[in-house]
Amino acid sequence: MTTGVIIARFQTPYLHEGHRNLLEQVSAKHSKLIVLLGVSPIKGSRKNPYDYYTREKMIKKDFPGAIVLPVSDHPSDATWSESLDNLLKSVFPNEHFCLYGSRDSFIPYYTGKLPTVDLPEHGDHNATELRKQYAGKVFDSKDFRAGILYAYYNQYTKVYPTVDVAVFRNDRTEILLGKKSNNNKWRLIGGFADPEDESFEQAAKRELAEECGIMEVGEMTYETSAKINDWRYRNEADKIITSLYSCDHIFGTPAAQDDIADLQWFKLSQLPQLIADEKTTPEHTGLFNFLLDRYL
């Protein structure tokens, strides 16, 4: 007797009709059903929000007779296929298998030795669209709130990358500083790197343009990096690490924009007194001292 094996991800908040049809079809053809769940190396992403344990419970609630096992993703299709075959043969050494897939299935990438069957899609069910439909919904239930805790506590702690820019003029004797609308302390220009940025240098140029308007500056030069004691993350497990760049002002008048309310040029020699008078933001003191050691 051949055992039916479904290989899928089931990354949805519930088993939709397409999932159920697939599970029911394979269950009807075989006395034993194994579900191999693809497991991403990235924990808690938008594409793979549910871990193995969550999806295993979801499947076994409605299909209690199914055996659910994890199969890890691998960058090599050949290695992944070999691992899949070895997993089945080692756990069930005396059985024969038939592998099933349906919408966006594994079959085009599978190079193993087991027979495969590509079942036709049942309905127009799309896991990505289903996740988007539920992404903004809030439910008034203990399970919903417990699920949020589970998701956060099962993520890796994160470092958020930011960039800061020291804009100099007059042979690096003057530096441009800004003030945010909600903080009356002078600070370096900068902000968070975006996923769309191609590099930290590009992120620095983008932040400079967003906060100071159109200016011509020279090449961004990497200076140093440092953990920032940002008040928003002071009591959090996640932290900020910034990369500090410098550049020379060539042309144009800086104009405060975005979340910057004021901009002003200062002589670099004024900076120690500004720090002593607590007129600069304390989270940038280490970066200011680095620049003073290098350029004053």
Side-chain angles (χ1 to χ4, degrees), residues 46-63:
R46 292 187 179 187
K47 189 174 181 181
N48 293 284
Y50 303 108
D51 65 7
Y52 163 76
Y53 302 104
T54 305
R55 291 176 289 153
E56 180 200 29
K57 283 185 178 294
M58 176 176 70
I59 294 168
K60 289 189 76 69
K61 179 182 178 184
D62 292 340
F63 295 86

Side-chain angles (χ1 to χ4, degrees), residues 18-222:
H19 289 154
R20 291 181 177 280
N21 182 268
L22 174 62
L23 289 158
E24 288 167 357
Q25 277 198 64
V26 178
S27 295
K29 294 176 183 289
H30 302 272
S31 59
K32 295 178 183 175
L33 171 65
I34 298 173
V35 178
L36 294 183
L37 287 175
V39 177
S40 168
I42 299 174
K43 295 175 69 176
S45 69
R46 292 187 179 187
K47 189 174 181 181
N48 293 284
Y50 303 108
D51 65 7
Y52 163 76
Y53 302 104
T54 305
R55 291 176 289 153
E56 180 200 29
K57 283 185 178 294
M58 176 176 70
I59 294 168
K60 289 189 76 69
K61 179 182 178 184
D62 292 340
F63 295 86
I67 296 170
V68 184
L69 297 172
V71 57
S72 298
D73 292 351
H74 195 282
S76 164
D77 291 339
T79 303
W80 176 82
S81 301
E82 185 178 357
S83 299
L84 188 151
D85 286 5
N86 290 337
L87 170 66
L88 292 172
K89 290 174 182 174
S90 62
V91 178
F92 310 98
N94 299 317
E95 297 193 29
H96 300 284
F97 306 97
C98 182
L99 311 183
Y100 289 88
S102 185
R103 180 191 177 98
D104 299 328
S105 83
F106 69 98
I107 293 176
Y109 312 100
Y110 177 69
T111 59
K113 299 178 179 178
L114 300 174
T116 61
V117 175
D118 194 2
L119 294 175
E121 292 181 34
H122 178 79
D124 186 22
H125 303 285
N126 185 303
T128 301
E129 291 303 317
L130 189 57
R131 291 196 296 272
K132 287 180 180 177
Q133 289 176 21
Y134 276 80
K137 291 186 177 180
V138 178
F139 297 93
D140 183 18
S141 72
K142 182 180 177 181
D143 286 346
F144 178 78
R145 291 186 286 274
I148 292 173
L149 281 177
Y150 181 84
Y152 274 103
Y153 273 80
N154 282 280
Q155 288 183 353
Y156 295 116
T157 53
K158 294 181 286 294
V159 170
Y160 293 99
T162 61
V163 291
D164 287 289
V165 188
V167 185
F168 290 109
R169 73 176 182 182
N170 292 333
D171 198 24
R172 302 214 161 194
T173 61
E174 294 182 63
I175 187 171
L176 183 65
L177 301 180
K179 280 183 181 177
K180 291 193 173 185
S181 56
N182 61 352
N183 187 334
N184 195 34
K185 304 281 187 182
W186 293 107
R187 62 192 303 117
L188 293 160
I189 303 303
F192 286 94
D194 288 346
E196 292 78 15
D197 294 325
E198 295 296 331
S199 65
F200 287 138
E201 286 83 355
Q202 188 185 77
K205 290 178 182 176
R206 177 186 51 75
E207 281 291 333
L208 189 60
E210 288 177 359
E211 298 189 341
C212 300
I214 299 174
M215 286 193 307
E216 185 177 349
V217 297
E219 288 296 314
M220 289 288 170
T221 300
Y222 172 77

